Structures are given as C-alpha cells and as structure tokens.
Amino acid sequence: MNPQGISPSTKNTSQSKMSFRGKNAVVTGGAGGIGLQVSKQLLAAGAAKVAIIDLQDNLEEFVKLRAAHPTQSVMIVKMDVANKKGVEATYEEIAKTFGNIDIVVNVAGIFNDKDVQRTLLVNLGGIINSTLSALPYMDKANGGKGGIIVNMSSVVGLDPMFIIPIYGATKAGIINFTRCLANEKFYQRSGIRFVTVCPGATMTDMFTNFTEKIIFPETSDETYRILDRLNKQSAADVSRCILNVLEKDKNGAVYVIEGKRIFPLDLKPQWTGKEQAL
C-alpha cells in the first residue's frame, strides 16, 4: 500500500479522468450516510440522473437534493437490496426511465452481528443483487454503453477484527466478488469496470448501539476502547474519495479510504496452481 495515499484533490494530468457530466448513476443505500453523500457529490459533479435505492426514507434530504439540482433528475426507489426480485425489477424501472446506466455505487449495508442471516443477505447479498441486476443494462454485448461499478467493502474485509466476524466476513466476500468480475476478458466484452473501496472507521449511524449488536458481549469494554482509539473520518470525506476512485476508472482496483485519502492496494495472487485462463 502506498503510505502517502492520494488526496481527492490531487491532480494527475498524465491520466484521463472520467467526466460525470451527463452520466446516469445508481446509488444503493443513498438515503443517508456515505450513500447520500455520494449522491450529492455525483449531482454536484454534473451527473444528469441519479437513482437512489434504499429501504429507508429521508424525505427532507431528498427534497433538498431536488431543490439544489432542479435541472437534474433524482429518482427515489424504496427497496430492500436483499430482495433479489425486487432489485431486478428496480433496475428494469431505472433503465426504462434513464435510458442507460453508466455508474453504480453500491453502499447499502447494515451492522448487526447478532442477526447473522440479515447481515449476510443485506451486506453481501445486496451487493451481489445490485451488481448482477445492473449488468444487463450496462453490458455492451447486450446493447449497453459499459460503465463502472464501485462496491463498498471495508478495511475489516482485508484484516480480521475479532469483535465483528460476521460483518467482516461479508466485507471480505464483497472484495472477492468484485475482483472476480473485474476479469479482463469480461471487460473487453462488456465494457464494465469493477472497483472495490474499503473505508476505514467512518462516522455514520450504522454503529449506533454498537455493543448491543456484537456476538461476544463480554468484550464490550475492550470494544469501546478500540472504537475510541480509531481515527474516524466523515461520510463526506469518504464520498469525495469514492468520486476520485470513479475518476480513475481502473478495472479491478482495490482502494483503502483512510484520512481523506485513497490508498491503492497491490493484492498479489496466492494460488499458484490457477490456470491463467481462469
């Protein structure tokens, strides 16, 4: 990992950047936290149409979004990302309304290690549902224009953290799922790039009543000490970094987001027996 990191404001004249102007985007988990901030950043950067998929309501913020961007389209769809058929129908509706989809940012997630099935269905299942549902409308081989899908994982998907094994397992799964799809041959056919972002500790409502949601309550005191020591960043900081990642448009990349900077990871193959064609 590059110890210096890359600031979202860093200029790189040697590498062309994605322009958001006129693009159509989908953001899951966009009613609050990082997802809402990503939606705001995309609209501010000139995205023509943004669809927000979320089970939660945030009418006040949605009204503000539309008022701040009267010439751009903001579509709100109330949907549980764990509902596979519902998500498929949602993407069909978005594609009919927008015409095409250029960008997907999958942020939707929960924290509740005591509810194992729900955590698996939302965090990992939701990312899979949204990603696979978007493909038919983005795939050049299917009449789409290609584009980019960014899936949000976490630093705990990279390094184990004893106090949150269920949440961590879903985040590790997201990294592997996204990297699998970032196959160069698939990209040449589909024109779709896949990128993973792994934020560090971020100030959102997800971890409210944190110690009530862990599976080892006897570790509560130590958990609080760990949380207090973490260097926390804001949802707005993370969203700006995600737009920086979108601009870089690098297929298969995995980035840590920490301290308002992105750190590209060099994940080397561990399985030496794998055939190159796979």
Side-chain angles (χ1 to χ4, degrees):
M1 185 169 79
N2 174 8
Q4 299 300 318
I6 304 168
S7 169
S9 60
T10 298
K11 302 294 183 184
N12 185 352
T13 56
S14 65
Q15 180 177 345
S16 62
K17 289 185 176 183
M18 169 188 279
S19 170
F20 300 108
R21 190 160 300 281
K23 293 290 196 298
N24 300 335
V26 178
V27 181
T28 69
I34 295 170
L36 177 60
Q37 294 300 322
V38 169
S39 301
K40 289 180 177 181
Q41 292 283 337
L42 285 167
L43 289 164
K49 302 170 186 176
V50 174
I52 293 172
I53 303 174
D54 206 314
L55 189 58
Q56 307 301 318
D57 287 317
N58 195 343
L59 183 60
E60 182 179 350
E61 286 292 344
F62 295 155
V63 169
K64 289 179 182 178
L65 268 185
R66 286 174 168 149
H69 304 280
T71 63
Q72 294 153 277
S73 175
V74 180
M75 180 179 180
I76 311 298
V77 184
K78 187 172 183 178
M79 177 55 60
D80 182 357
V81 292
N83 179 346
K84 180 176 180 291
K85 291 189 181 300
V87 173
E88 289 172 348
T90 295
Y91 270 94
E92 182 178 6
E93 179 185 357
I94 292 169
K96 285 179 180 177
T97 304
F98 284 7
N100 67 283
I101 298 169
D102 304 297
I103 298 166
V104 175
V105 182
N106 286 313
V107 177
I110 63 170
F111 173 74
N112 189 348
D113 268 21
K114 284 188 175 179
D115 193 340
V116 175
Q117 291 304 314
R118 181 67 181 159
T119 299
L120 292 171
L121 288 171
V122 173
N123 290 7
L124 181 55
I127 292 275
I128 293 173
N129 290 341
S130 178
T131 300
L132 297 185
S133 295
L135 296 188
Y137 306 105
M138 299 176 72
D139 192 337
K140 286 184 176 179
N142 199 42
K145 296 182 177 181
I148 185 169
I149 297 178
V150 174
N151 289 333
M152 194 172 79
S153 177
S154 167
V155 289
V156 300
L158 293 163
D159 295 322
M161 183 175 280
F162 169 72
I163 59 175
I164 47 175
I166 313 305
Y167 180 81
T170 65
K171 296 302 181 177
I174 290 167
I175 296 169
N176 197 284
F177 169 72
T178 310
R179 293 181 70 208
C180 283
L181 293 182
N183 176 278
E184 187 60 26
K185 290 183 178 179
F186 182 62
Y187 167 68
Q188 293 300 329
R189 190 198 77 189
S190 68
I192 306 171
R193 293 177 171 88
F194 298 87
V195 179
T196 314
V197 292
C198 303
T202 307
M203 293 178 288
T204 70
D205 293 335
M206 181 182 292
F207 295 104
T208 303
N209 301 322
F210 184 85
T211 57
E212 296 176 12
K213 301 173 185 176
I214 59 177
I215 57 176
F216 302 112
E218 65 275 13
T219 66
S220 293
D221 290 343
E222 177 60 21
T223 297
Y224 275 123
R225 285 193 289 271
I226 292 172
L227 292 176
D228 285 342
R229 289 197 299 267
L230 292 175
N231 293 320
K232 301 175 184 66
Q233 56 198 342
S234 72
D237 293 335
V238 174
S239 72
R240 284 189 286 269
C241 288
I242 289 175
L243 257 70
N244 188 213
V245 165
L246 284 167
E247 286 179 331
K248 292 183 179 303
D249 207 18
K250 185 177 179 182
N251 191 37
V254 180
Y255 297 94
V256 165
I257 299 176
E258 192 84 75
K260 305 180 184 181
R261 292 177 177 270
I262 61 172
F263 298 85
L265 300 185
D266 182 16
L267 300 178
K268 299 184 182 301
Q270 302 298 315
W271 179 24
T272 57
K274 183 177 69 172
E275 292 287 340
Q276 187 63 37
L278 299 177

